[in-house]
Amino acid sequence: MRRLNVSEMTALETGAAIRSGKITVVSAAEQVLDAAEKGNEKINAYITICREKALKRAAEVQKKIESGEFSSPLAGVPFSVKDNICTKGIRTTCASKMLENFEPVYDATVIKKLEAAGGVIIGKLNMDEFAMGSTSETSYFGPVRNPRNLSRVPGGSSGGAAAAVAGKMAVAALGSDTGGSVRQPASYCGVTGFKPTYGTVSRFGLIAYASSFDQIGPVARDAADCAAIMDIISGKDSMDSTSLDTECPGYLALLTGEVKGMKIGIPKECYRTPGLNPGTAEKTKYAADVLEKAGAVVEDVSLPFLDYAVPAYYIMASAEASSNLSRYDGVKYGYRSENFSSLSDLYSSSRSEGFGKEVKKRILLGTFVLSSGYYDQYYLKAQRVRAKIKKNFEEIFSKYDLILCPSVPDTAPETGKSLDNPLKMYLSDIFTVSANLAGLPAISFPCGNDSSGMPVGVQIIGKAMDDVKVLNAAHAYQKLTDFHKNFAEVKV
Amino acid sequence: MKRETVIGLEVHVELATKAKIFCSCSTEFGGAPNTHCCPVCTGMPGTLPVLNKKVLEYAVRAGLALNCSINENNRFDRKNYFYPDLPKAYQISQLYLPFAQNGFVDIKTKSGVRRRICIHEIHMEEDAGKLVHFAKDNSTCTDYNRCGIPLLEIVTEPDFRTAEEVTAFLCKIKSVFEYLGISDCKMEEGSMRADVNLSVRPEGAVEFGTRTEMKNISSFRAIERAIAYETKRQTEVIENGGTIIQETRRWDDAKGQSISMRSKENAQDYRYFPEPDIPPVCISKEEIQHYKDICPEFADERAERFIREMNLSEEDADIISASKNLADIFEETVKICGAPSEVRFWFMSGLLYYMNESNTDACDIKLNPEKFAEFVNIVQSGKITRISGKQVFEKLLSGDDFDIMTFIKENHLEQVEDTGLIEEAVRSVISANPKAVSQYKNGETKILGFFVGQVMKKLKGKANPALVNKAVADWLDRTNNNIK
């Protein structure tokens, strides 16, 4: 058997190699496990690496593949899962002291689907605590580093996912995106990250941050991998009332690589964004050119509410988070303080000690905007802004197929610089949050580096339920360019 | 100065669906602690609520039966607060857009007062768990079996003025819900709970006084006691120049007092906001019409029909028709044996007495109409007297399967019609009571009843009463004549 290294292959390539017998499921898993363990000291992308479980499972999957049980092109592929997605019997921490030893007794729906398709889970990925953050520095288990440059952050909150895929420590990953948490780290690390239309992928088993924004999405080496993963994880789930009642279109099968005739709009407001990295602006223009040459029509459009997207997002997401995180009270599961003398002490000690600073900040903010006397001014108003943003997008999509813009205004910042400047950090979500506010499908894919050599990500946003169109545009771009084939060498 | 008491109710009713409101756990009563739960109703991380459609059906039917308008689009909201019996630290309820509003219930109290009580709104919500205290080591444990049990909360306008009206209203709700088959409304078991909002004001005043809310009232009698106590307490405070504090008070039935708990609504901010995990609930016009169409005949209509068709008195008809179970037994039995007044006799004298003594709820009575009808026929045919019949009826109520005639024979309950035996008994009673005989002769004809009673006693209640009556009367006349 020729020595393949799946850490350098796409998920589809890995699946094909397994199916054709060029590599066994166990070998594939071992390769990724080895790479993960080796690189983790420097990168800290993983909170838990489940070697024993993974190899046992890999052996089972191998047998089933040989007996023809799986039909997915990704059967046998090793997967890494963000640590806010519940895996039965494997601790799921949300990178928090609060759930440090929490072992769910159930699998998230996406995990069930992944395993039913023959996926092999090799570990749980590091992240910002409870998915709140843009740098993966708020983790209780230590920050994640960007494999492209260890002095830079990988982005957040799915920083572990993006770093692992970029740093050859994972083949493909599942992350979660609430305000950009899949797309922004994908952009910072130079990999591809996709956020599906809200409701396309079940949230059952995704530990909630902001219920009306959260979506699980793939972080992988290219758009085709993302499409193949979508085929596995998407679909109506009776355990999630917000999951949409639609047929899975067959994402991978519908990728044509053609964008002829596609009408793409670039919001003119983006280029006026304060702090926009000139490299980012340049690469975005470059991406637009590539697509135009491939037959798309690129024009300017307007997103006048862009400036209100970030405040509306932080108000609503924090509000929902403050409620979603109330269940962590030290009574039933999770961290319980040892210092308390009354019930309210139990609550405040457990929560003060169990939560990190950023989480506490957002809980306070969320509680404030929901409190009597402020609800109308903040929460209700933010809801109205959200509705306006949705409508704005609908108007654009009545004339255009897709929107193109940068994923993030800048490339990955240096470590340790962001948390003391929260407003700047929040504002860097400006291009990603509107897709969450409006529930739209959006993808970030690499398109070169800035002058400091850090990856730039470009974003394509589509109309609700147009996930295939979005994936296809990125796929078309990746057929014409090579940026996504760039891996990071993690020097250990 | 004359004051009036103003009362509004918040009534919680447990819906008798098989599964909980947001998950598929069983709602069965009892069960060892934490055995009827799942990750969803215990608020484990990552779990999500899914509305049980049956709950919505029961809710809409209840709303229609209480004359409410149904909101075709309604929503759930989160009510946020921390307490160990609330695993998610929020309760999924409906605040901004409940499913039913602006209804009414017409009541008739025991003393005949008729009133219309308006319903402000009805909404769906989930129940919380239970805290169990162990005195032994002063510990408290949580039992989440009750978490997620579906509740309807019925909020009335402050239209009540007396405790009698409150109990009449609660009985009406219980009756309606039993007819719909959606809840058994048993206060003692907690499937119906009433919180009483009470204030006093000078009679004729337009503005409301400050109200208090009383919780933990678990029987109709306790409601009466609580209302009486709180009215007195508030009146005394006002008359002594004090002010009523708006607060929640716990009713302690053993002590007969209400005890202050916390300031209602002033201390707690529940930070209500729309529940993002559940999309807006949509009920179509067609569904609403369907539920209207399948609405059963309720107690009032049924009582009127009983009066019309079976010649029952208004009072009897009201009592029998209040419970669907009893009304069904009654109607079915009469259909088979065709003797409404005999059936009515056994209902009013035998059944009600039994229910009171054994503390059995009307909806739990098990009485087989066919057997009951057979029994009625046997009594009517004279094979046994009503007095002997009591024993048979008791056995019928026990629900045991048995043959009535065999039971009668084995227990020697057959009616005595042997005139010889009767004469013998009459003779012996009369000769043993010469004083009574003189009284009779002196014109106290009512004494006849005494003799009849004594003869019936001697014959162990099994003698044909008509024959006994005649025999006694004849004997006394003869004695009279003899002396004359």
Side-chain angles (χ1 to χ4, degrees), chain A residues 187 266 271 276-291 404-411 445-460 477 481 483 486:
Chain A
S187 173
I266 301 188
Y271 293 120
L276 184 67
N277 182 321
T280 304
E282 186 203 316
K283 297 302 177 201
T284 308
K285 288 198 178 96
Y286 175 77
D289 283 342
V290 170
L291 290 169
L404 180 94
C405 64
S407 299
V408 202
D410 203 348
T411 56
F445 50 92
C447 57
N449 299 337
D450 74 352
S451 55
S452 67
M454 292 307 292
V456 174
V458 158
Q459 189 182 199
I460 285 181
Y477 184 83
T481 59
F483 305 111
N486 234 325

Side-chain angles (χ1 to χ4, degrees), chain B residues 325-439:
Chain B
N325 185 37
L326 293 189
D328 284 348
I329 294 171
F330 181 84
E331 192 159 1
E332 190 59 34
T333 308
V334 169
K335 212 191 270 179
I336 301 173
C337 71
S341 57
E342 189 68 28
V343 177
R344 175 224 155 266
F345 170 79
W346 290 103
F347 251 74
M348 304 308 287
S349 66
L351 184 51
L352 290 185
Y353 173 79
Y354 169 79
M355 277 167 57
N356 266 329
E357 288 297 294
S358 65
N359 216 9
T360 310
D361 197 296
C363 62
D364 290 331
I365 293 291
K366 289 177 185 24
L367 190 51
N368 181 311
E370 269 150 20
K371 270 219 143 45
F372 190 9
E374 188 194 337
F375 166 75
V376 164
N377 282 334
I378 289 171
V379 172
Q380 288 224 300
S381 69
K383 289 204 186 70
I384 53 171
T385 63
R386 275 183 176 176
I387 297 172
S388 314
K390 277 201 170 83
Q391 249 183 284
V392 184
F393 190 62
E394 263 170 45
K395 190 134 176 82
L396 277 177
L397 285 170
S398 69
D400 291 346
D401 193 22
F402 68 105
D403 181 65
I404 297 180
M405 284 315 296
T406 311
F407 180 83
I408 289 174
K409 289 207 174 77
E410 280 172 2
N411 290 280
H412 308 294
L413 297 174
E414 300 95 318
Q415 186 163 228
V416 172
E417 296 192 318
D418 181 341
T419 44
L421 270 172
I422 293 176
E423 292 268 336
E424 182 53 42
V426 172
R427 190 195 58 74
S428 125
V429 163
I430 285 187
S431 59
N433 293 284
K435 253 199 207 129
V437 176
S438 325
Q439 282 175 291

Side-chain angles (χ1 to χ4, degrees), chain A residues 14-16 18-20 24-26 54 56-79 110-121 232:
Chain A
T14 306
I18 288 173
R19 218 165 34 247
S20 66
T24 64
V25 179
V26 174
K56 183 161 175 259
R57 161 94 179 140
E60 287 165 13
V61 172
Q62 180 69 46
K63 284 206 190 81
K64 289 188 176 171
I65 288 178
E66 283 161 10
S67 64
E69 195 168 314
F70 295 119
S71 57
S72 167
L74 299 184
V77 173
F79 280 93
V110 295
I111 299 299
K112 284 207 186 95
K113 285 176 178 267
L114 203 56
E115 296 199 327
V120 176
I121 293 167
I232 296 174

